[in-house]
Amino acid sequence: MKKIIFLFFLFFCFALFSQKIDKITPKKCIPKKGFHLKLKSVFDDSRCPEGVTCVWAGEVSVIIEVYKDQQLMEEKKLTLNSKNKEENIKWLVNYLPESAKNVKSIFVLPYPKEGIAVKPKQQFVAITYND
């Protein structure tokens, strides 16, 4: 039994640490070549803050700007919730490098906490993926 638990623990750790995380931030520097994603804004954040009991998990909306070779190509509103996860991932992978196309999740950080305001410059979109 101990061996089974140990193997399960090893498998869990391997799965957890094999994931990579990229960020979409509001930073201003846009590379000269290729696609670049920039966070324009976070709004309609109805996620249940830590320390509060809620009836539903909530959702958050973001606007992401897509640049190609320093030219703004598109602004896209994404509403992040459990219902449209696959749709958001399908859109996002069009603009990611080949090594990051195996997207597992998209979420906004920092997660809200009761009584603590988050400044817009602190927020970012995190993307987890496997190599």
Side-chain angles (χ1 to χ4, degrees):
M1 182 68 176
K2 287 182 181 179
K3 288 182 181 181
I4 292 172
I5 293 172
F6 180 72
L7 289 174
F8 179 75
F9 178 75
L10 282 178
F11 175 76
F12 177 75
C13 289
F14 178 75
L16 181 66
F17 293 112
S18 67
Q19 287 192 349
K20 307 276 187 202
I21 297 177
D22 276 343
K23 296 178 183 179
I24 301 173
T25 65
K27 76 178 190 181
K28 307 245 186 263
C29 181
I30 308 294
K32 291 185 180 191
K33 293 286 183 186
F35 285 109
H36 177 76
L37 300 173
K38 180 181 168 196
L39 178 62
K40 182 175 183 180
S41 64
V42 177
F43 59 99
D44 292 341
D45 191 349
S46 65
R47 297 175 293 170
C48 185
E50 290 179 18
V52 176
T53 302
C54 299
V55 181
W56 74 305
E59 61 188 23
V60 62
S61 296
V62 297
I63 295 180
I64 295 178
E65 296 176 328
V66 179
Y67 290 85
K68 183 175 182 188
D69 302 335
Q70 292 189 320
Q71 297 293 325
L72 179 63
M73 303 293 291
E74 178 181 1
E75 278 190 4
K76 177 74 172 179
K77 175 188 172 192
L78 298 178
T79 299
L80 306 177
N81 60 36
S82 59
K83 294 178 184 175
N84 59 9
K85 176 183 172 182
E86 295 303 318
E87 177 185 332
N88 290 336
I89 289 173
K90 187 176 178 181
W91 176 83
L92 185 65
V93 297
N94 292 316
Y95 305 106
L96 295 176
E98 198 62 40
S99 63
K101 295 216 183 237
N102 194 9
V103 174
K104 297 297 176 198
S105 62
I106 307 166
F107 49 97
V108 175
L109 291 175
Y111 197 83
K113 293 182 181 177
E114 182 182 15
I116 300 175
V118 177
K119 296 176 185 171
K121 289 185 177 185
Q122 294 174 317
Q123 295 176 311
F124 62 92
V125 175
I127 305 163
T128 61
Y129 62 94
N130 292 336
D131 283 340

